[in-house]
Each structure stands twice: as structure tokens, then as C-alpha cells.
Amino acid sequence: MATHVSMCYRLFDRHRSSAHFRKLFVQCLNGNIQRPYSGATHKENELELGDSTASSAPNFASSLKTRSSQERLREESILPFSAFLTDNFGRRHSYLRMSLTEKCNLRCQYCMPEDGVKLTPRSQLLSTSEVLTLARLFVQEGVEKIRLTGGEPLIRPDVLDIIAELRKLEGLKTIAVTTNGMNLARLLPKLKDAGLDLINISLDSLVPAKFEFIVRRKGFHKVMEGIDKAIEMGYNPVKVNCVVMRGLNEDELLDFVALTEKKPLEVRFIEYMPFDGNKWNFKKMVSYQEMLDHIRQQWPNLEKLQTGQTETAKTFKVPGFKGQVGFITSMSDHFCGSCNRLRITADGSLKVCLFGNSEVSLRDVLRSGASNEELLQIIGAAVGRKKKQHAGMFSISQMKNRPMILIGG
């Protein structure tokens, strides 16, 4: 507790003139420098399923003590990776997903509630300089890959500038983007020039009418044009994300696999996941094993490929096909034990788990005038509180969390 209190007093002493920072200071002492989710979209929720707030203060203090001792080790070059980004289970978080906007030009059923979402006021979203400040800090601590998400990241006017500045960061190996593909064909030459390395494109149906039903907008041919443009410009593989929902598009599995015969695509079938307002239920979810069994009826010689330890997808290939298929099995066979990902929402909140509703507002700490060292203490404490695994699909479905569009895909 002493480490925790001393850090809070250092924060207070540095910013004693700031009323806003005094508020952060009190929250810090109470171990509550976090927001369950954006106040712009939900009322405050004090409880996270299976975790009482009563235990948050000692956990916070314990995390800070762990960060402090680990940082001393790092200074002595014993630890090769940032102590602040290493959790209590030894997971090293070298992959950061940053949402650039809450806005989107589609209205996908699994991502956005039917009646829409209340958007965060622009002044409460991260500015360009704040995005780059946080990115720079995380890269200095060992992040090697940054993925830009949304909403739809390519509708943010300064997306090219952000990518170009990220490209200058020493140590950052990969810049990726997840997009709905609507603006991709037009922007891709400039995106590539700016330094974009990888592309994931969302596509949930190969039937134009069904596509429009799922995303509640027209645009199927624009997405297909974007996929073809990415292949033409040498991206390999071009990843295509398909959320599979029973009664809607599970009958297209074989058609999606067939796409990989002639094109260097990696089609990734994603199990339907519960988020606020997307009307998830277990009966709509098609499990990885069910999908795999169905595909193997058509291609019994489907081969499983070796993947890296931190890869989220279980990857397979039909022999002789140019591309491959993958399965994101978050619900039926989670991969929490090898998770290396952190998320920052468009309004600046750090989420250490996609399915957890605990958040820490890095935006508020940044705007209070905190130093990089103080920011790292807050980040390290949040990472230290990351749980061993998520609560399971049935518990998650009952938990209050942001809609996916306000988290960042």
C-alpha cells in the first residue's frame, strides 16, 4: 500500500493546482482510477461480474508494488520486456489495438445496437497528438504491433497522418488496420505509401442482399473492390473477417472457403460474441468445431497449419489453394492464456480484456498533465489486474460492457 500511496502523493504534489487532478488523486488513493465504461454511453456500473469493487484497492496497491519491483529488475537488464506491460501471469503485451473513432458508415447487427449508440462528444475523444503520444509510450515499452480500429478507422480525416507518424516509431514492426472496406479501394495507394503493413476487411456475406441486411446499408461491391485492390497492391494474405451467425450466414461457409482457392486470402470465421445491444444468444452462435466439421465434409484433406504462440486464429488450408482459413474461437475455446493484446478506445480508455468491463481513462490522466512515468504506473497497475481468463460466454452475455463499436474491433 505504501508504494500506491506514495505514487498518488507524487501525482498530487506535481499537480496540486489542478482541481481535475485532485479528483484523480482521490480516485487513485481509493484504487478507483478506472471507469467501467464510457459515461457518455452508459450510467456508471460499479460491479464487474465475479469481481467485487471492495477488493479493487488492495489489488491496485499490489499491482503497483509488482510494477515497482519489476521495473527495478528491468533497469538491471534482467527482464527483456517492459514490466509495465507484463501481467501477473507472465503474459507480455506487445500488441496494441487503438480505436480512432466511434463513427461508422455501416450498422452491422453484431456490432451496433439497432437503435444506434450515443456518440462521445468530440472534445472527449483522443486528439491526433494524444493518439501518437500514447502509441509512442507503448512502443517504447515493447509494443511491436499496432492495429487501428473503430468504428471505421478510414473515415477519420487524419488517418494517413497517423499511420505516417506511427511508421517513424523505432521498434514498431507492424501497422495494421481493420476496416469495413467501403473506402478502401480509393484510399489504399495512400495508405500503403504512408506505411500500412496489414489489412483485415470485414465481410459477412457473399450475397449482396444478405450483406445489406446484416450491415443495414448498401456497399457490397465497394467491399469486394477493396479486397481485390488489396490483392493487386501486394498485400498477402489479405485477411477477411466473417462473423458467423446461425440462421443468417452459416450456409455460406463453403463459399467463403472456396474464395481461398484462387486468391491469397485468409478468411477468418469469428464466433458470434456477446456485446451490449447485439441480441446475442447461445443458439445463434456457431462453434468452431461445428464449422470445421462442416468444411471437412467438403474438403476432408483440410490441413491444420502451425501458428505463433500469440496468434488468435486456428489456421487451416486446403492443399493446392492459394489462401487459407482461420477460426477465432473466443467463445468455445478461448486463447486467454497466450493473450498479448491491449485496447485503447477512441475516448482514451485502456481495456486490458475485450470482454471485461473494467477500464482506465488514459485520456484523463494525459490531460491532467501527468508525466510518462506516471502514465506508465497507471498502465502497469491496470495490466497487473488483468485476469487469467474471461468469465465465459454465458457470464459475459449478462455483463454490462460497451457495444463493440464503442470498444474498437
Side-chain angles (χ1 to χ4, degrees):
M1 186 67 184
T3 304
H4 175 204
V5 173
S6 66
M7 187 198 79
C8 292
Y9 273 102
R10 288 201 309 273
L11 292 173
F12 181 64
D13 185 61
R14 179 184 171 99
H15 304 282
R16 62 174 68 246
S17 63
S18 166
H20 178 62
F21 202 89
R22 285 198 296 272
K23 182 179 178 182
L24 286 177
F25 168 76
V26 172
Q27 291 175 328
C28 184
L29 279 179
N30 293 331
N32 284 330
I33 192 159
Q34 61 177 337
R35 296 183 304 165
Y37 38 73
S38 172
T41 55
H42 294 287
K43 294 180 181 178
E44 291 294 341
N45 176 16
E46 294 293 332
L47 297 176
E48 179 176 352
L49 196 66
D51 184 29
S52 68
T53 52
S55 64
S56 62
N59 286 347
F60 189 91
S62 173
S63 297
L64 284 173
K65 288 177 183 177
T66 302
R67 300 303 112 198
S68 177
S69 62
Q70 288 180 336
E71 180 61 8
R72 285 196 298 273
L73 287 173
R74 185 176 182 233
E75 288 172 356
E76 296 166 10
S77 299
I78 295 173
L79 280 181
F81 190 82
S82 171
F84 293 108
L85 301 186
T86 304
D87 69 18
N88 292 329
F89 302 97
R91 293 173 295 199
R92 297 174 175 181
H93 297 81
S94 59
Y95 180 6
L96 179 64
R97 302 173 70 102
M98 303 188 77
S99 176
L100 295 185
T101 179
E102 297 175 348
K103 294 180 179 179
C104 188
N105 43 7
L106 299 181
R107 298 290 183 270
C108 300
Q109 294 185 25
Y110 52 83
C111 183
M112 183 183 286
E114 190 172 358
D115 54 355
V117 295
K118 183 179 178 181
L119 296 174
T120 303
R122 185 174 179 179
S123 63
Q124 295 178 27
L125 299 175
L126 291 179
S127 66
T128 307
S129 63
E130 288 170 334
V131 167
L132 295 172
T133 294
L134 289 174
R136 190 175 298 111
L137 185 62
F138 276 88
V139 171
Q140 287 170 356
E141 292 301 309
V143 162
E144 297 178 335
K145 179 178 180 179
I146 292 179
R147 179 175 295 279
L148 303 176
T149 69
E152 171 47 43
L154 298 189
I155 66 174
R156 179 157 169 156
D158 59 354
V159 64
L160 293 171
D161 296 330
I162 289 173
I163 292 172
E165 290 301 313
L166 291 177
R167 190 73 284 164
K168 298 175 184 177
L169 297 181
E170 185 178 352
L172 183 61
K173 296 178 180 177
T174 305
I175 303 172
V177 70
T178 295
T179 173
N180 61 30
M182 294 288 284
N183 298 331
L184 186 60
R186 175 173 56 86
L187 288 175
L188 196 51
K190 291 181 180 178
L191 289 167
K192 188 165 187 178
D193 287 345
L196 183 65
D197 299 303
L198 297 176
I199 304 172
N200 287 44
I201 304 167
S202 298
L203 177 66
D204 303 304
S205 177
L206 298 173
V207 180
K210 194 189 294 186
F211 170 91
E212 292 176 17
F213 176 76
I214 294 172
V215 307
R216 304 185 182 113
R217 294 289 187 275
K218 295 182 181 297
F220 172 78
H221 298 291
K222 286 185 177 181
V223 179
M224 296 305 294
E225 183 184 356
I227 291 172
D228 290 338
K229 186 71 173 178
I231 294 171
E232 176 191 324
M233 294 194 66
Y235 286 94
N236 186 2
V238 176
K239 295 184 179 180
V240 175
N241 293 344
C242 175
V243 177
V244 181
M245 295 164 282
R246 193 179 308 281
L248 202 54
N249 63 350
E250 89 277 17
D251 59 332
E252 296 187 58
L253 287 171
L254 302 184
D255 295 330
F256 272 102
V257 176
L259 274 184
T260 69
E261 182 176 5
K262 304 293 185 184
K263 297 182 178 183
L265 301 175
E266 181 179 324
V267 175
R268 295 153 68 92
F269 297 116
I270 302 172
E271 291 180 340
Y272 185 32
M273 297 177 276
F275 294 100
D276 271 19
N278 74 352
K279 299 181 180 178
W280 183 92
N281 69 60
F282 177 70
K283 293 179 180 178
K284 289 183 181 178
M285 194 200 81
V286 183
S287 73
Y288 149 63
Q289 194 60 55
E290 183 180 345
M291 289 188 271
L292 184 61
D293 290 345
H294 182 54
I295 292 168
R296 276 197 162 136
Q297 288 177 13
Q298 177 70 24
W299 291 285
N301 58 343
L302 189 70
E303 297 176 348
K304 187 168 186 178
L305 304 179
Q306 290 293 113
T307 56
Q309 184 182 358
T310 58
E311 288 294 319
T312 57
K314 296 173 174 62
T315 312
F316 295 78
K317 184 181 183 72
V318 178
F321 281 23
K322 277 190 174 181
Q324 57 199 40
V325 296
F327 301 88
I328 309 294
T329 64
S330 305
M331 297 294 95
S332 68
D333 186 15
H334 71 74
F335 34 84
C336 302
S338 60
C339 182
N340 68 337
R341 290 166 297 286
L342 300 171
R343 284 176 165 80
I344 297 178
T345 63
D347 62 352
S349 285
L350 175 65
K351 286 180 73 75
V352 297
C353 175
L354 174 62
F355 301 109
N357 57 14
S358 292
E359 299 180 0
V360 177
S361 177
L362 301 183
R363 177 202 66 200
D364 291 351
V365 179
L366 260 179
R367 293 182 183 181
S368 72
S371 68
N372 282 354
E373 179 188 352
E374 291 159 350
L375 259 173
L376 284 173
Q377 291 282 359
I378 300 298
I379 292 166
V383 172
R385 290 194 300 272
K386 184 168 179 172
K387 295 179 180 179
K388 185 176 182 180
Q389 62 189 57
H390 67 58
M393 62 180 139
F394 294 110
S395 296
I396 292 169
S397 68
Q398 298 171 40
M399 246 160 108
K400 204 69 177 165
N401 195 3
R402 298 180 185 228
M404 188 63 182
I405 193 169
L406 298 184
I407 295 175

